Amino acid sequence: MRGPEIDGRVLAQGWCALSLLHDRIDAHLEKALQGAHGLSVREYSALVVLSEQHDGDGGHLSMTRLADTVALSQSATTRLVTRLEERGLLVRYLCPTDRRGIYTNVTDAGRALFDRARETNDRALEEALAHAEKSPELRPLVEVVRAMQHAATAPRA
């Protein structure tokens, strides 16, 4: 038994709208984060992911897991971590139980920059969504993002 037929044109239009929304938000965030903190969106994303991981003082992840989480190749992740490490925002170390594994850890300076950049990111994201909401083809997607935000912040019973 087959499910309902999907109109390929509608699906393609939806994908194009989603891609457009992503690109607009990404560009707006990039400009805000670079201007205020000298961070790219990918660098900020790495700090977000690492700051949410805890094992002691800072957040840490294996390089492989970080690459998967920020949707970059291994080599691009290595370059990103190198840039952040050179700025004193991250450190790398060998996994104590598997000498082949390399982990990254947020430094105090990385945590402080992340805390400052979060406000910039949140403000820029809200600005980008408010602007996109004015576009009829993007409005439904913005509504989905806002519904996700509402669901995540709603009190749990």
Side-chain angles (χ1 to χ4, degrees), residues 44-148:
Y44 177 79
S45 296
L47 290 175
V48 168
V49 169
L50 289 167
S51 294
E52 292 175 352
Q53 305 300 314
H54 294 283
D55 183 31
D57 291 339
H60 80 281
L61 275 180
S62 71
M63 291 287 286
T64 302
R65 181 91 167 97
L66 180 60
D68 290 344
T69 307
V70 296
L72 290 174
S73 67
Q74 287 289 333
S75 60
T77 300
T78 298
R79 290 189 302 272
L80 179 138
V81 168
T82 298
R83 286 192 309 271
L84 293 173
E85 189 175 38
E86 287 171 352
R87 290 180 62 185
L89 305 175
L90 298 180
V91 293
R92 280 184 264 207
Y93 63 94
L94 291 176
C95 174
T97 58
D98 179 1
R99 292 306 217 185
R100 295 169 297 169
I102 299 174
Y103 281 78
T104 53
N105 196 17
V106 179
T107 63
D108 290 341
R111 168 77 69 192
L113 179 60
F114 168 69
D115 288 342
R116 291 189 308 273
R118 183 186 340 210
E119 185 177 318
T120 301
N121 183 78
D122 292 350
R123 184 178 57 252
L125 180 56
E126 183 54 46
E127 290 167 359
L129 288 171
H131 183 71
E133 209 164 25
K134 297 174 186 172
S135 170
E137 69 270 14
L138 299 180
R139 187 176 307 115
L141 295 172
V142 173
E143 289 171 1
V144 169
V145 171
R146 292 197 188 283
M148 290 171 58

Side-chain angles (χ1 to χ4, degrees), residues 10-24 132 135-141:
V10 173
L11 192 59
Q13 288 170 343
W15 172 246
C16 286
L18 182 59
S19 181
L20 177 62
L21 178 63
H22 175 272
D23 290 349
R24 285 186 182 179
S135 170
E137 69 270 14
L138 299 180
R139 187 176 307 115
L141 295 172

Side-chain angles (χ1 to χ4, degrees), residues 34-46:
Q34 279 289 350
H37 308 285
L39 284 173
S40 71
V41 170
R42 293 289 191 193
E43 291 167 339
Y44 177 79
S45 296

